[in-house]
Amino acid sequence: MNLAITKLAELTRQKLAEVSHNQKWMLFAPVFIVCVADIRSRIKEDVNISLNENSPQEELKQIIRDTSIAIEHIALEADNLGLATCWVAWFTQEEIRPILNIPTDKYVVSILTLGYANEIPKASQRKKIEEILHYETW
Ligand SMILES: Cc1cc2nc3c(=O)[nH]c(=O)nc-3n(C[C@H](O)[C@H](O)[C@H](O)COP(=O)(O)O)c2cc1C
């Protein structure tokens, strides 16, 4: 990668961190995977669609679910390869989309930061399995 492209990429990463409530720690990660859901995979008609956090389309929930499954698979494989990821979803569509010229009929589900971890955090407190698992009926 030449220097100009590297600088451009760094500026883009800075903007992505800024719209994510200025989470500066993100910039320690060398790679950002911006994970985008595409409603056109479920709505085939050629209609105008502009999505945001309050959009009523039922398909929006479906594509966020579908994309979240894919994102978690990326996270699991990263872990399998000895890398670390963090979901970042503290941004608005209105702010994040223009940074990458993402059309308004797409929905950014997460920025997955990717890199080698410089710390291994203590496991967070978990609910007991009996509190969240039901057999046969709720
Ligand atoms: C939808 C979503 C959004 C998140 N956004 C952020 C974020 O903006 N910044 C951050 O540091 N972590 C973010 N996280 C990661 C969480 O802080 C946490 O590390 C992760 O959910 C694992 O937590 P656990 O080990 O307590 O289960 C997000 C997680 C999810 C599921």
Side-chain angles (χ1 to χ4, degrees):
M1 217 190 293
N2 72 36
L3 197 62
I5 295 175
T6 312
K7 277 198 176 143
L8 193 66
E10 196 48 39
L11 194 64
T12 304
R13 283 154 39 83
Q14 278 170 17
K15 286 184 193 163
L16 289 169
E18 265 167 36
V19 297
S20 303
H21 279 74
N22 218 9
Q23 296 185 75
K24 297 219 186 314
W25 65 264
M26 290 171 67
L27 298 170
F28 288 106
V31 175
F32 290 3
I33 303 175
V34 178
C35 306
V36 182
D38 189 356
I39 205 156
R40 301 292 175 186
S41 64
R42 291 190 174 266
I43 298 181
K44 301 293 180 194
E45 303 87 63
D46 186 16
V47 286
N48 270 341
I49 302 176
S50 184
L51 298 171
N52 64 40
E53 285 72 11
N54 303 313
S55 296
Q57 289 92 337
E58 193 184 331
E59 290 85 355
L60 179 59
K61 293 178 196 160
Q62 296 171 332
I63 59 163
I64 291 174
R65 175 200 60 201
D66 299 344
T67 307
S68 298
I69 293 169
I71 298 169
E72 268 312 288
H73 280 87
I74 299 172
L76 288 171
E77 180 56 11
D79 185 73
N80 190 36
L81 294 170
L83 290 152
T85 58
C86 184
W87 271 69
V88 174
W90 200 11
F91 47 73
T92 64
Q93 298 302 309
E94 199 184 1
E95 286 189 321
I96 195 167
R97 269 195 303 239
I99 299 171
L100 298 168
N101 289 321
I102 297 171
T104 57
D105 62 344
K106 315 293 177 234
Y107 192 97
V108 183
V109 178
S110 149
I111 303 170
L112 203 61
T113 57
L114 176 73
Y116 288 99
N118 60 3
E119 59 173 328
I120 311 235
K122 255 182 35 199
S124 52
Q125 187 101 36
R126 300 292 179 204
K127 287 183 178 169
K128 288 207 180 73
I129 193 79
E130 307 83 66
E131 285 181 60
I132 55 170
L133 182 65
H134 303 269
Y135 292 99
E136 302 291 338
T137 183
W138 186 267

